[in-house]
């Protein structure tokens, strides 16, 4: 199963769950998105790490995710990744395809986008396999309805740092997602407040 | 002069109309003086001080007597001549000093008080810019004007290489009047009182200029308004030496800046606890649009295409914007680049004006560093029609030696004739081209009969069209195989 395949749904719950776990494991790695972003933005030449920490509240914490029902978790994951895609689109918009096609880091950003679409596709396939409701309900994560707007800061440099903090949070979020999914894989009885 | 008599008479003038004379005398005695000009008017002036103003005297020697009223014996006589007088203009005054922080420009306004002068004179103004509390001289510039008998306001601007936000700038000025009629000494006025401009920081560390777009090769000064000690400044990956301003504010100077990457070049100031920065976008002004070509596919819409020329290195909000302006109609169309970054073709669509043939287009390219333009004059019906590919191409039998071809051509060709070319390829690959002319119509199908064919033979047909006043062929239609019917036995 391709990590980024879009299209028909597997009816295998465990297969889908395993694939999402693998996707989350890959996506938590900063080499997938944060590192190329930093190079593109020229931040790699600075001691930026101290100034590129996740802003609390941007992404749901692990505890929050663990406190959600499975359906709520999938809805929250889907909505959050939707907003990440929106942010990536804004980031890529001003750069002509000529540049993106030739630059390795930009290719990496596009690939990361593909992974996100792949996870959302699996969410779409997995949700009906949870019992009853198959239509998508608004996420039960009580966090910000939308992620902070693409540009918190007006000036370009702080805008770059904002993006850095955002992606730091994204990778942490995917790490938490992978941990929650692995708890699911151990079976419903074993995971704390989980009820499918 | 007798001992105790007035001595060392010295006269200056600020405006060539009045001489301001002063002399020395033993202090504390004879507080009343009578100054007389020994001429036919014998005008005298009394003063309680050791100076007095007298009207300017004509060129030549004039005898002056200064008589301390209470002591006749110590009267002093002097010979006054314009040549010994010093013209020292009044100290100018800066009426208004303002700053445009976004462009780092200082604007000053002053009044030349020309009404005080009897005749036109050349004036040289010296304007001095100083920085920092230590008032270090930054530059001294001269500006020449002419006094014309009236008070005239003058404006003058100066652009600082250092952002005005980062350090207090001081301005003062003085002047020198070169009056050609005056034979005495000419000297500079005193410096005007200093005026200063400073930015009121909001105690958030900030770097200036913010997100500046600069020309490749220029020198740029970037500075940081901050309360804590800056330990490192970087431009891209280069470490830069710090220029210390007032307080903890610092600056760096970047020489001969090179073109920036797509995301701009970061300029960052690091302290023990903080990282403050800005982004510089170094690029080029737009090149003159090259190979500007305007043609129409359907005589309804004109498509202008061009090559942008040298890349500017600037993207996003600093990207080049293009506007196509048609001078006869006054209409214009703007090119929006960002809509579909995948689409890298540079083209604009201009709606044709009914019954209008000649179009005078100017394509203007503009970005934050400048603009350029190209023009093209087009007779749209004569040398600019590039028809769409004909569609719905069909071949039907007419008889054993003739077929009828039909095709559809989008476009308003009602006012002209179309020249179409039929390519006929016989089975044994003998190829023949036949030109046919058809009356143009609007968005219509066309028919033509092709004769002199061989019966019962395989042919391949395709067609393309142009206008009678040829500019470009359309693309060929798809090929159509066709077997002509058998001849009827005679």
């Amino acid at each position: 199963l391709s990590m980024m395949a879009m299209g028909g749904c597997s009816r295998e719950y465990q297969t889908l769950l395993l694939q999402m776990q693998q996707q989350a494991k890959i996506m938590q790695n900063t080499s997938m998105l944060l590192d190329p972003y930093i190079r593109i933005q020229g931040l790699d030449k600075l001691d930026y790490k101290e100034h590129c920490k996740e802003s609390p509240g941007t992404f749901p914490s692990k505890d929050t995710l663990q406190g959600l029902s499975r359906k709520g978790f999938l809805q929250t994951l889907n909505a959050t990744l939707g907003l990440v895609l929106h942010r990536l689109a804004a980031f890529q918009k001003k750069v002509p395809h000529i540049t993106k096609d030739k630059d390795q880091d930009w290719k990496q950003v596009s690939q990361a986008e593909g992974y996100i679409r792949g996870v959302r596709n699996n969410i779409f396939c997995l949700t009906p396999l949870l019992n009853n409701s198959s239509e998508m309900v608004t996420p039960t994560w009580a966090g910000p309805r939308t992620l902070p707007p693409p540009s918190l800061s007006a000036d370009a440099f702080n805008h770059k740092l904002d993006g850095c903090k955002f992606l730091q949070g994204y990778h942490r979020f995917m790490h938490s997602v992978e941990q929650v999914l692995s708890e699911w894989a151990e079976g419903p009885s074993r995971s704390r407040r989980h009820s499918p | 002069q007798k001992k105790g008599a007035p001595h060392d008479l010295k006269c200056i003038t600020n405006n060539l109309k009045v001489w301001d004379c002063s002399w020395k005398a033993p202090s504390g005695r004879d507080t009343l003086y009578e100054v007389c000009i020994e001429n036919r008017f014998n005008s005298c002036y009394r003063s309680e001080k050791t100076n007095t103003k007298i009207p300017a005297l004509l060129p030549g020697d004039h005898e002056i007597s200064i008589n301390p009223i209470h002591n006749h014996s110590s009267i002093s006589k002097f010979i006054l001549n314009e040549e010994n007088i010093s013209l020292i203009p009044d100290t100018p005054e800066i009426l208004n000093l303002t700053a445009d922080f976004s462009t780092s420009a200082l604007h000053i306004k002053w009044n030349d008080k020309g009404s005080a002068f009897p005749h036109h004179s050349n004036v040289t103004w010296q304007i001095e810019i100083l920085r920092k509390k230590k008032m270090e001289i930054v530059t001294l510039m001269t500006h020449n004007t002419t006094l014309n008998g009236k008070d005239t306001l003058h404006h003058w601007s100066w652009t600082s290489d250092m952002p005005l936000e980062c350090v207090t700038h001081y301005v003062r000025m003085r002047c020198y009047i070169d009056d050609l009629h005056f034979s005495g000494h000419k000297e500079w006025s005193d410096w005007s009182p200093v005026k200063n401009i400073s930015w009121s920081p909001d105690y958030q560390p900030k770097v200036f200029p913010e997100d500046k777009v600069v020309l490749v090769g220029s020198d740029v000064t970037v500075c940081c308004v901050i309360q804590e000690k800056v330990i490192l400044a970087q431009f891209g990956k280069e470490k830069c030496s710090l220029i210390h301003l007032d307080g903890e504010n610092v600056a760096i100077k970047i020489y001969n800046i090179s073109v920036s990457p797509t995301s701009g070049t970061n300029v960052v100031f690091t302290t023990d606890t903080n990282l403050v920065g800005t982004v510089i976008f170094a690029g080029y002004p737009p090149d003159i649009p090259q190979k500007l070509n305007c043609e129409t596919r359907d005589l309804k819409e004109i498509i202008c295409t061009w090559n942008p020329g040298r890349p500017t290195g600037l993207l996003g909000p600093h990207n080049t914007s293009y506007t196509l302006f048609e001078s006869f109609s006054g209409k214009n169309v703007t090119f929006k680049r960002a809509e579909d970054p995948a689409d890298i073709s540079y083209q604009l669509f201009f709606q044709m004006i009914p019954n209008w043939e000649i179009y005078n287009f100017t394509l203007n390219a503009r970005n934050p560093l400048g603009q350029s333009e190209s023009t093209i004059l087009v007779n749209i019906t004569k040398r600019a029609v590039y028809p769409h590919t004909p569609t719905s191409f069909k071949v039907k039998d007419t008889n054993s030696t003739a077929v009828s071809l039909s095709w559809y051509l989008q476009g308003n060709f009602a006012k002209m004739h179309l020249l179409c070319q039929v390519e006929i390829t016989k089975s044994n690959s003998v190829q023949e081209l036949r030109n046919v002319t058809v009356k143009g119509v609007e968005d219509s199908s066309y028919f033509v009969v092709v004769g002199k064919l061989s019966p019962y033979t395989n042919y391949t047909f395709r067609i393309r069209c142009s206008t009678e006043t040829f500019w470009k062929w359309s693309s060929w239609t798809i090929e159509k195989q066709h077997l002509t019917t058998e001849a009827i036995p005679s």
Side-chain angles (χ1 to χ4, degrees):
Chain A
L1 280 168
S2 150
M3 296 297 182
M4 299 192 284
M6 299 290 284
C9 282
S10 157
R11 306 291 304 167
E12 275 300 317
Y13 176 85
Q14 284 303 332
T15 305
L16 284 169
L17 188 58
L18 183 63
Q19 183 175 358
M20 281 184 67
Q21 236 188 297
Q22 286 165 346
Q23 285 170 316
K25 183 179 272 300
I26 291 169
M27 292 160 76
Q28 67 186 280
N29 196 316
T30 59
S31 63
M32 282 298 291
L33 189 46
L34 177 59
D35 296 348
Y37 171 85
I38 282 167
R39 285 191 295 270
I40 288 169
Q41 299 288 42
L43 297 175
D44 53 329
K45 300 156 182 104
L46 309 172
D47 182 10
Y48 68 89
K49 286 195 165 59
E50 209 34 51
H51 308 276
C52 177
K53 292 199 169 123
E54 174 186 356
S55 307
T58 305
F59 287 92
S61 67
K62 180 184 168 189
D63 286 346
T64 301
L65 294 174
Q66 282 174 322
L68 298 173
S69 67
R70 292 199 177 192
K71 191 191 313 174
F73 170 82
L74 291 180
Q75 287 162 355
T76 297
L77 178 55
N78 184 61
T80 305
L81 292 180
L83 296 164
V84 175
L85 283 177
H86 180 72
R87 197 74 182 252
L88 285 183
F91 172 53
Q92 298 181 79
K93 184 177 178 186
K94 62 184 181 208
V95 184
H97 272 243
I98 285 182
T99 311
K100 284 188 266 189
D101 296 342
K102 284 191 292 186
D103 184 289
Q104 189 50 39
D105 287 328
W106 280 108
K107 281 185 194 166
Q108 190 74 48
V109 171
S110 299
Q111 188 185 51
E113 199 176 2
Y115 268 94
I116 293 174
R117 296 186 194 285
V119 170
R120 297 188 87 202
N121 185 58
N122 283 333
I123 292 170
F124 176 76
C125 296
L126 189 61
T127 301
L129 302 182
L130 302 178
N131 51 25
N132 56 49
S133 165
S134 65
E135 37 72 18
M136 299 297 285
V137 179
T138 49
T140 52
W141 164 45
R145 280 286 150 239
T146 62
L147 289 173
S151 145
L152 266 176
S153 311
D155 68 283
F157 183 72
N158 283 313
H159 182 55
K160 288 183 177 184
L161 288 184
D162 293 340
C164 194
K165 294 169 189 169
F166 179 80
L167 294 181
Q168 196 76 265
Y170 160 73
H171 287 297
R172 192 279 307 155
F173 170 70
M174 291 315 296
H175 175 62
S176 304
V177 164
E178 190 248 336
Q179 288 177 313
V180 171
L181 289 173
S182 57
E183 289 165 10
W184 286 18
E186 291 155 13
S189 56
R190 297 278 311 286
S191 55
R192 259 183 309 151
R193 281 151 297 182
H194 267 216
S195 58
Chain B
Q1 269 86 25
K2 297 183 185 83
K3 194 169 184 305
H7 56 279
D8 293 334
L9 173 65
K10 183 173 172 22
C11 296
I12 70 162
T13 176
N14 303 125
N15 54 26
L16 303 179
K17 289 178 182 172
V18 172
W19 290 0
D20 195 339
C21 296
S22 59
W23 57 89
K24 291 185 179 139
S27 60
R29 297 176 51 228
D30 306 324
T31 57
L32 188 60
Y33 298 90
E34 184 175 56
V35 179
C36 294
I37 304 165
E38 313 298 347
N39 58 19
R40 48 197 168 84
F41 308 105
N42 205 18
S43 36
C44 293
Y45 306 85
R46 292 201 167 199
S47 171
E48 292 173 2
K49 290 175 282 179
T50 56
N51 63 61
T52 189
K53 294 180 190 296
I54 62 174
L57 301 176
L58 296 174
D61 288 346
H62 300 273
E63 192 174 300
I64 303 288
S65 66
I66 301 178
N67 176 19
I69 301 294
H70 304 301
N71 179 353
H72 286 292
S73 63
S74 58
I75 191 168
S76 300
K77 288 191 185 286
F78 302 89
I79 296 300
L80 258 190
N81 189 312
E82 187 184 70
E83 289 173 359
N84 309 116
I85 305 299
S86 296
L87 166 58
I88 306 174
D90 278 332
T91 305
E93 181 200 356
I94 296 174
L95 296 176
N96 197 2
L97 171 64
T98 57
D100 178 346
F101 286 98
S102 66
T103 59
S104 298
L106 290 178
H107 307 290
I108 66 172
K109 182 171 79 173
W110 74 93
N111 183 336
D112 70 4
K113 297 179 179 157
S115 60
F117 281 80
H119 29 65
H120 287 212
S121 311
N122 295 327
V123 190
T124 301
W125 307 89
Q126 265 190 350
I127 299 159
E128 190 169 68
I129 309 284
L130 308 98
R131 259 183 209 146
K132 294 165 71 167
K133 293 191 173 95
K134 290 188 289 185
M135 305 263 277
E136 293 170 353
I137 295 176
V138 176
T139 185
L140 178 67
M141 286 153 291
T142 58
H143 178 61
N144 296 312
T145 65
T146 303
L147 299 180
N148 54 21
K150 301 193 302 269
D151 286 1
T152 306
L153 284 180
H154 294 281
H155 300 265
W156 178 85
S157 295
W158 172 74
T159 300
S160 167
D161 65 329
M162 169 87 68
L164 303 177
E165 294 92 341
C166 289
V167 65
T168 301
H169 282 75
Y170 303 86
V171 184
R172 63 181 185 173
M173 68 187 309
R174 65 179 181 175
C175 62
Y176 176 91
I177 295 175
D178 184 16
D179 186 286
L180 305 180
H181 306 84
F182 181 68
S183 58
H185 308 295
K186 296 159 193 165
E187 297 177 21
W188 284 96
S189 72
D190 290 339
W191 285 104
S192 71
V194 171
K195 290 244 181 192
N196 74 71
I197 283 282
S198 50
W199 184 68
S200 42
D202 53 14
Y203 299 103
Q204 270 293 327
K206 219 162 167 25
V207 178
F208 298 95
E210 188 177 284
D211 303 352
K212 187 150 177 97
V213 182
V214 299
L215 186 63
V216 169
S218 47
D219 299 340
V220 183
T221 301
V222 180
C223 58
C224 181
V225 175
I226 195 162
Q227 311 295 312
E228 43 184 317
K229 185 168 182 51
V230 171
I231 52 177
L232 172 66
Q234 283 171 274
F235 168 67
K237 55 176 179 287
E238 290 167 38
K239 292 188 169 70
C240 307
S241 52
L242 295 176
I243 303 167
H244 291 279
L245 305 173
D246 291 333
E248 296 296 349
N249 295 0
V250 291
I252 61 171
K253 183 93 177 182
I254 303 154
Y255 296 94
N256 188 20
I257 196 168
S258 47
V259 65
S260 303
T262 52
S263 61
T265 308
N266 301 328
V267 181
V268 181
F269 296 84
T270 307
T271 71
D272 286 335
T273 59
N274 216 334
L275 189 80
V276 202
T278 188
V279 182
I280 301 281
F281 299 91
Y284 299 97
D287 206 349
I288 293 174
Q290 284 142 43
K291 296 179 183 155
L292 174 59
N293 177 51
C294 296
E295 57 191 28
T296 178
R297 305 299 302 267
D298 55 14
L299 281 160
K300 295 175 184 173
E301 186 177 65
I302 297 169
I303 305 165
C304 291
T305 56
W306 67 92
N307 179 320
R310 177 188 59 182
T312 63
L314 302 174
L315 291 175
H318 311 129
N319 214 334
T320 303
S321 70
Y322 292 94
T323 303
L324 185 69
F325 178 73
E326 201 289 315
S327 58
F328 299 140
S329 61
K331 295 187 175 185
N332 69 69
V333 190
T334 300
F335 175 79
K336 290 195 175 53
R337 192 57 237 290
E339 269 128 25
D340 174 9
D343 168 16
I344 50 171
S345 61
Y346 290 86
Q347 61 182 12
L348 269 170
F349 299 89
F350 186 89
Q351 290 310 306
M352 278 183 62
I353 302 159
N355 307 314
W356 203 304
E357 289 192 2
I358 299 187
Y359 294 79
N360 185 16
F361 287 116
T362 298
L363 179 67
N364 176 278
R366 177 190 301 272
N367 75 3
L369 291 176
Q371 65 169 334
S372 63
E373 59 185 41
S374 287
T375 58
I376 184 171
L377 187 68
V378 187
N379 182 325
I380 205 68
T381 57
K382 294 289 185 297
R383 292 189 45 73
V385 182
Y386 168 35
H388 285 295
T389 308
T391 56
S392 310
F393 178 47
K394 297 188 179 76
V395 182
K396 287 183 181 155
D397 290 318
T398 301
N399 55 48
S400 62
T401 60
V403 294
S404 79
L405 306 183
S406 66
W407 65 95
Y408 176 85
L409 193 59
Q410 180 200 334
N412 181 5
F413 304 103
K415 290 207 172 78
M416 56 183 57
H417 281 82
L418 293 173
L419 170 67
C420 293
Q421 194 170 63
V422 182
E423 182 190 78
I424 306 164
T425 309
K426 211 170 185 180
S427 47
N428 51 20
S429 76
V430 170
Q431 209 169 66
E432 179 195 355
L433 286 175
R434 292 192 201 169
N435 287 353
V436 294
T437 302
V438 291
K439 174 81 178 66
V441 200
E442 178 166 10
D443 293 346
S444 176
S445 293
Y446 296 86
F447 302 87
V448 68
V449 174
V450 173
K452 296 182 186 150
L453 302 175
S454 310
Y456 198 62
T457 304
N458 263 314
Y459 285 95
T460 303
F461 299 94
R462 63 178 185 169
I463 193 166
R464 62 181 180 177
C465 292
S466 167
T467 51
E468 215 169 18
T469 50
F470 181 80
W471 166 245
K472 272 184 189 173
W473 287 112
S474 72
S475 304
W476 288 102
T477 60
I478 51 173
E479 291 180 341
K480 285 284 181 182
Q481 267 85 27
H482 187 82
L483 176 65
T484 50
T485 57
E486 291 178 78
I488 303 165
S490 51

